[in-house]
Structure formats: C-alpha cells, structure tokens
Amino acid sequence: MFFQPDERTCLFIDGSSLYSASRHLGFDVDYRNLLTFFRSKCHIIRAYYYSAILESEEYSPLKPLTDWLVYNGYSLVTKTAREFVDQNGRRRVKGSMDIELAVDMMEMAPKIDHAVLFSGDADFRRLLESVQRQGVRTTVVSSVRTSPPLIGDDLRRQADQFIELADIAAQFTRRQSEARVTRQQQAPVRHPADQFSELDHDED
C-alpha cells in the first residue's frame, strides 16, 4: 500500500458498497478508526460518505450515525431512495449514488493529488480514467476474496493501486461477534445500507 504523507488525498466512500464488502468479509466498520487510519498515511483533504436513505415518518435510527459522520470529519452526501413494488409484488429500491460521487470527484480533481474510491463498481472505470488524465493518482478499496469478487476487473486494472479490504480491515473494524454482544445490550445504530439488506436493489 503506497501513500505519501504530504499527498492531498480525498476519500470517496460508497456507503452501500463498503457495507456489502464488510458484511461478506465478516466485520463491522468503525468509521472513527477508518478516518484515523487514512489520516496516518496521507493528508486527507475531505472524506465523502454517500448513502441513499429510505424516507420514514417515524424517527430514524440512522440519525445518530449520520449526525456522527457530519460532526466527526466526514462530508455526508445523501438522497432519498425510491421504493416501489414491481410486477411480481416484490419490494424494490432505487438509490444509486454514482452520479453524486462522480460529480464530487471531478470537482475535487484539480485540488487533490490522490483519490481513494471505496467501491468495486466497474462503472467507475471511466471516472478514474478521467481524473487520472488530470494528474490524480487513484486507489480503489474493495475485495476479491468474496465469491464472487466485489470489484470489476476493468476498475481494478484502471486504478493505480488496488487495496484488498480484508488486508487492512483490522485497522478500522470490529468483529461481528463483538457487535452481536453489543446489540444484546443496547439498541443498535444501524448503517444506512442495513435498511436495504433484505430488499432487492435496482440502480438508477
């Protein structure tokens, strides 16, 4: 893993993608430690976190988490996910944050040296190519240790550096066995993607 201490770096975290990868690998993300870990490697200009959230009239258990992210070094980008019932009667959710992430990365490109993308979506390959032409070095954080792998080959080849999430997980995660003990003692603060874990997903 190659980072330079004085490198102006921006994190672009697809919340749903990171949640899915960590769930497949068997750990829960500690967002405080994640930011601390990358700040120890380089100069973090901004850490964007993207999540589509289902709208509810009731108090959302996500609010403590989203408030924490805002007040603890993250730039939170959200939008309302659209939920509907398809022709087979199944609940479906549309809540892709790809456009928001792409716009932010393009806008930040002239101001940074290094973009770190937490996603395995091959659709971002063209985005990385574009910012690379502007002189930005790119890193993708995802996993090939799941079945199937969570990162597209095109995206992995395009990135200047690929980091296997499982290799750095111990720096900013807690094991699910620990999380289960905590959940028995108190109500959990759910990750935004938890709302969708039992639903099928559509992309915009």
Side-chain angles (χ1 to χ4, degrees):
M1 186 169 63
F2 178 67
F3 286 88
Q4 298 176 354
D6 59 347
E7 202 171 42
R8 296 172 301 169
T9 302
C10 190
L11 308 182
F12 299 89
I13 302 171
D14 181 334
S16 181
S17 179
L18 178 56
Y19 170 79
S20 178
S22 64
R23 184 176 62 174
H24 277 84
L25 293 170
F27 59 80
D28 296 326
V29 176
D30 183 324
Y31 294 97
R32 184 192 306 277
N33 288 344
L34 185 151
L35 197 53
T36 298
F37 173 70
F38 280 94
R39 281 174 171 168
S40 73
K41 302 294 182 183
C42 54
H43 178 43
I44 298 296
I45 299 295
R46 190 151 298 167
Y48 287 102
Y49 183 94
Y50 301 87
S51 181
I53 301 176
L54 283 173
E55 206 170 39
S56 174
E57 294 181 355
E58 300 177 359
Y59 173 77
S60 172
L62 304 176
K63 193 173 189 308
L65 175 60
T66 54
D67 283 351
W68 186 93
L69 290 170
V70 168
Y71 289 110
N72 287 274
Y74 288 87
S75 296
L76 182 65
V77 183
T78 65
K79 72 177 181 184
T80 301
R82 300 195 301 276
E83 183 179 4
F84 64 97
V85 178
D86 67 14
Q87 60 184 4
N88 297 317
R90 300 180 65 183
R91 295 175 64 203
R92 311 282 288 186
V93 172
K94 286 188 176 183
S96 172
M97 299 294 294
D98 290 2
I99 295 299
E100 289 79 3
L101 191 156
V103 168
D104 288 340
M105 188 180 292
M106 291 295 292
E107 288 184 345
M108 289 298 294
K111 306 176 180 68
I112 60 177
D113 305 306
H114 192 171
V116 179
L117 173 65
F118 287 75
S119 177
D121 189 343
D123 288 344
F124 286 126
R125 187 207 66 79
R126 186 70 174 83
L127 172 63
L128 295 195
E129 182 184 23
S130 179
V131 299
Q132 285 169 334
R133 288 202 301 266
Q134 298 178 59
V136 176
R137 197 160 68 88
T138 61
T139 290
V140 171
V141 182
S142 188
S143 182
V144 296
R145 297 186 186 173
T146 58
S147 182
L150 294 177
I151 182 169
D153 288 340
D154 289 348
L155 181 66
R156 185 177 178 184
R157 286 195 295 266
Q158 185 66 50
D160 295 302
Q161 175 177 226
F162 167 69
I163 297 177
E164 168 58 52
L165 181 61
D167 288 342
I168 59 174
Q171 303 296 324
F172 50 79
T173 66
R174 60 178 182 170
R175 293 294 165 184
Q176 287 185 344
S177 59
E178 297 174 5
R180 283 194 292 270
V181 172
T182 300
R183 286 195 290 268
Q184 291 173 357
Q185 298 171 345
Q186 61 185 21
V189 175
R190 296 165 59 211
H191 182 286
D194 283 349
Q195 299 178 85
F196 307 142
S197 61
E198 301 302 323
L199 303 176
D200 291 323
H201 295 264
D202 282 347
E203 298 297 327
D204 282 341

